[in-house]
């Protein structure tokens, strides 16, 4: 639609990714030249993340109901292969973290745990129990608390029931899904301003001086995540699509990973991933389920965080970890990471569970958790970027691979 304002016209001609880069650069400059101003514009970032978090549960709930209600016999959602990719990717991430930790053993300076007042889960059974209880949570509470396992479960049930409703009712549901999708587009269009505020306030408030003493630990963590994003994931994607995976990998990192890095919320990035999946012409019945599911169980970044920090704790305590114990840690990290979203504090609060494999006391483990909170400004951003961008990457890989098998590509 034509617009008489020349400034708005220029912005409409610039892609959203370029606008985000501009916002990123301006945010860094503002925080550097005027820290007080950087803190002030943080409100823009908070508003943007808040809007994404608010609309995401409603989007998933309505979109999944609509997709299931409109689903025709013979249209496969193709979810199982994507779940397999999620699990394989998370396990390989844990294994890569083990290898990196053995190659670059790290001692960490433990800190007091006064700021860490959350209780870690007592074991994998508790993590899985929390996940199952989330499955049967009250649907209103599930939407209010962004419990995506519960949202998906109720949306699937209600969508299946609506398949027997009248055509007019199903059209109303489809129109509602289109309306919510339009609202999401409006919210995402403010991403450049949101990124500008987030970057400016983060740099102005924290800087990176406090992270210097933990530089080696950060290098191992971020290095593992980059290795997964740029080496392991492309190999998995090539296995599915049998062609050069990097165009798809870089598209997902650019259009999903960048936003997730600064919002530091997989839930907030669900609308971004939905929009990207639609842009990639993926099957809506598939991505409307696989992307919110991925935000819950596809946790390669979390598996890396759990593994690296647990092995760093073991090395600091002088505990020798053998091959089989490392393999067990990889398995525990994979299972725990899949349930990380059901635990307050996410992946960091699952570190004591991993440390317990080596006989490390809970007091020491919680000191490691405190270190995790200190480096969280980088660790959590990279972890979320890897987790969230991989959701849409694996969904796209499975969908494109299926289309090529069927001769549609």
């Amino acid at each position: 639609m034509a617009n008489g304002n020349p400034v708005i016209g220029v912005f409409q001609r610039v892609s959203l990714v370029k606008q985000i880069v501009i916002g990123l650069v301006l945010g860094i400059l503002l925080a550097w030249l005027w820290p007080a101003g950087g803190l002030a514009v943080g409100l823009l970032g908070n508003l943007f993340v808040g809007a994404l978090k608010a609309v995401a549960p409603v989007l998933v709930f309505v979109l999944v109901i609509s997709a299931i209600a409109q689903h025709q016999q013979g249209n496969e959602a193709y979810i199982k292969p994507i779940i397999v990719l999620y699990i394989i990717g998370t396990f390989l991430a844990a294994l890569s973290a083990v290898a990196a930790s053995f190659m670059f053993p790290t001692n960490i300076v433990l800190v007091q745990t006064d700021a860490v007042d959350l209780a870690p889960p007592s074991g994998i059974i508790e993590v899985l129990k929390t996940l199952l209880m989330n499955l049967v949570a009250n649907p209103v509470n599930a939407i209010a608390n962004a419990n995506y396992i519960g949202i998906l479960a109720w949306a699937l049930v209600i969508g299946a029931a609506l398949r027997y409703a009248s055509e007019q009712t199903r059209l109303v549901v489809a129109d509602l899904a289109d309306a919510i999708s339009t609202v999401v587009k409006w919210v995402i269009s403010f991403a450049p301003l949101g990124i500008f505020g987030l970057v400016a306030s983060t740099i102005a408030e924290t800087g990176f001086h406090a992270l210097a003493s933990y530089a080696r630990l950060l290098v191992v963590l971020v290095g593992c995540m980059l290795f997964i994003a740029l080496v392991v994931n492309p190999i998995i994607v090539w296995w599915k699509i049998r062609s050069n995976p990097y165009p798809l990998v870089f598209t997902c990192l650019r259009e999903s990973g960048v936003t997730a890095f600064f919002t530091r919320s997989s839930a907030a990035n669900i609308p971004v991933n939905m929009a990207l999946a639609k842009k990639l012409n993926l099957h809506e019945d598939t991505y409307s389920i696989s992307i919110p599911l991925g935000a819950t169980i596809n946790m390669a970044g979390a598996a890396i965080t759990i593994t690296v920090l647990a092995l760093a704790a073991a090395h600091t305590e002088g505990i020798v970890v053998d091959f089989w114990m490392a393999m067990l840690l990889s398995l525990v990290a994979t299972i725990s990471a899949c349930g990380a979203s059901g635990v307050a504090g996410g992946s960091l609060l699952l570190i004591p569970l991993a440390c317990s494999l080596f006989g490390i006391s809970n007091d020491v483990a919680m000191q490691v958790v405190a270190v995790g909170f200190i480096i969280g400004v980088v660790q959590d951003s990279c972890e979320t970027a890897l987790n969230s961008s991989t959701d849409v990457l694996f969904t796209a890989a499975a969908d494109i691979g299926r289309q090529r098998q069927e001769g549609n590509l």
Side-chain angles (χ1 to χ4, degrees):
M1 183 172 65
N3 193 302
N5 192 314
V7 176
I8 295 178
V10 170
F11 274 98
Q12 287 178 337
R13 290 192 293 271
V14 178
S15 70
L16 183 62
V17 174
K18 291 180 180 178
Q19 291 180 35
I20 290 174
V21 172
I22 293 171
L24 171 62
V25 173
L26 291 178
I28 293 173
L29 290 175
L30 179 61
W32 177 41
L33 299 174
W34 187 28
L39 291 173
V41 300
L43 178 62
L44 294 174
N46 293 335
L47 289 173
F48 175 63
V49 174
L52 283 175
K53 286 184 175 180
V55 76
V58 180
L59 171 69
V60 171
F61 188 66
V62 174
L63 204 62
V64 173
I65 287 177
S66 176
I68 299 300
Q70 310 297 329
H71 182 77
Q72 301 295 322
Q73 293 293 336
N75 291 339
E76 294 296 332
Y78 209 62
I79 298 299
K80 289 182 181 178
I82 300 174
I83 295 176
V84 171
L85 292 183
Y86 286 165
I87 295 173
I88 291 174
T90 302
F91 183 67
L92 291 179
L95 284 180
S96 299
V98 167
S101 297
F102 281 176
M103 293 170 62
F104 306 101
T106 305
N107 279 318
I108 53 179
V109 179
L110 300 179
V111 300
Q112 295 303 312
T113 60
D114 297 339
V116 183
D117 57 359
L118 299 173
S122 59
I124 292 179
I125 299 300
E126 183 180 339
V127 174
L128 296 178
K129 179 181 177 182
T130 301
L131 208 57
L132 289 174
M133 291 306 296
N134 285 340
L135 191 68
V136 294
N138 180 286
V140 177
N141 289 338
I143 294 175
N145 298 322
N147 166 18
Y148 288 98
I149 285 290
I151 291 171
L152 275 173
W154 283 108
L156 288 169
V157 171
I158 296 172
L162 283 174
R163 292 183 65 181
Y164 301 98
S166 65
E167 182 68 22
Q168 290 81 0
T169 300
R170 288 187 281 121
L171 284 175
V172 169
V173 174
D175 288 341
L176 180 60
D178 290 340
I180 299 297
S181 298
T182 300
V183 172
V184 169
K185 290 178 184 177
W186 293 343
V187 173
I188 293 176
S189 68
F190 287 95
L193 284 176
I195 297 300
F196 167 68
L198 287 169
V199 173
S201 62
T202 299
I203 295 179
E205 183 177 353
T206 65
F208 292 97
H209 303 295
L211 305 177
S213 61
Y214 299 106
R216 183 182 177 90
L217 181 62
L218 276 172
V219 167
V220 175
L221 276 169
V222 176
C224 285
M225 293 179 190
L226 287 174
F227 179 75
I228 293 298
L230 300 177
V231 178
V232 175
N233 283 352
I235 292 173
I236 295 174
V237 172
W238 175 86
W239 171 58
K240 293 299 293 184
I241 68 176
R242 299 295 176 174
S243 63
N244 182 6
Y246 283 100
L248 181 60
V249 168
F250 288 135
T251 295
C252 293
L253 288 174
R254 182 178 66 248
E255 300 197 21
S256 172
V258 170
T259 307
F261 182 90
F262 292 107
T263 62
R264 294 169 64 183
S265 171
S266 293
N269 214 48
I270 286 176
V272 177
N273 281 349
M274 292 281 201
L276 177 56
K278 186 173 184 179
K279 181 179 178 180
L280 293 172
N281 295 318
L282 305 183
H283 199 288
E284 185 173 345
D285 286 357
T286 297
Y287 73 73
S288 63
I289 298 174
S290 68
I291 287 178
L293 183 62
T296 302
I297 68 169
N298 183 35
M299 295 288 173
I304 290 172
T305 297
I306 294 166
T307 304
V308 169
L309 286 175
L311 288 175
H315 189 262
T316 301
E317 293 292 292
I319 299 171
V320 178
V321 180
D322 61 26
F323 173 78
W324 293 112
M325 187 62 72
M327 290 296 293
L328 178 59
L329 173 62
S330 298
L331 182 60
V332 169
T334 300
I335 298 172
S336 300
C338 290
S341 63
V343 180
S347 59
L348 293 179
L349 264 294
L350 292 167
I351 291 169
L353 173 60
C355 286
S356 66
L357 293 175
F358 311 129
I360 298 174
S361 69
N362 191 62
D363 289 341
V364 173
M366 290 306 291
Q367 291 183 61
V368 178
V369 173
V371 171
F373 279 110
I374 292 174
I375 64 174
V377 66
V378 175
Q379 170 267 327
D380 194 34
S381 294
C382 293
E383 178 181 313
T384 307
L386 176 60
N387 290 343
S388 194
S389 62
T390 306
D391 294 344
V392 68
L393 176 66
F394 285 167
T395 297
D399 196 56
I400 293 171
R402 181 196 60 167
Q403 291 184 51
R404 290 192 170 170
Q405 286 180 353
E406 294 175 350
N408 296 328
L409 284 178

